[in-house]
Structures are given as C-alpha cells and as structure tokens.
Amino acid sequence: MANATVKVTLVKSVNGRLANHKACVKGLGLRRIGHTVEVQDTPENRGMINKAYYLLRVEG
C-alpha cells in the first residue's frame, strides 16, 4: 500500500465558499466541476478532502 491513491472529483462549485475550502480544492489540483484527479492517499491529502468533503466525490 506504499503507492495507494484516491480519485477525487469536484462536483460542486467553489463560488461563495470559505477561502480555506477553496484553497483545499486548489491544493488537490482540481480546477473545474467534473474534473477528476488521482492523489496519493496521505494524511495531508485526506485532511484537505475532509475539509471540503461536501464539494467532492472520492473513490478508492
């Protein structure tokens, strides 16, 4: 499980959201609604996912 990854998709707009939630979405590399990225399953990335969970869909 050294290279475990998760797929993260932005499913809601970041307009009008808290600045630190927008920063978490940007930090994960998501740019637009429907954009999917694969990120390492690290505590740092999990923290960003948990903070903005209501904007995202997570697989894996």
Side-chain angles (χ1 to χ4, degrees):
M1 293 259 303
N3 291 333
T5 61
V6 291
K7 281 186 179 179
V8 185
T9 304
L10 186 63
V11 295
K12 288 189 175 184
S13 173
V14 295
N15 285 351
R17 307 299 180 182
L18 293 172
N20 56 352
H21 293 194
K22 287 183 183 183
C24 288
V25 170
K26 187 174 183 178
L28 289 166
L30 296 165
R31 297 176 181 271
R32 68 194 75 82
I33 295 175
H35 189 206
T36 301
V37 294
E38 206 165 301
V39 295
Q40 295 294 318
D41 192 4
T42 63
E44 295 83 2
N45 286 337
R46 278 288 172 181
M48 288 191 281
I49 290 168
N50 289 340
K51 179 148 296 210
Y53 69 94
Y54 61 97
L55 302 173
L56 309 171
R57 180 173 59 234
V58 181
E59 302 167 30

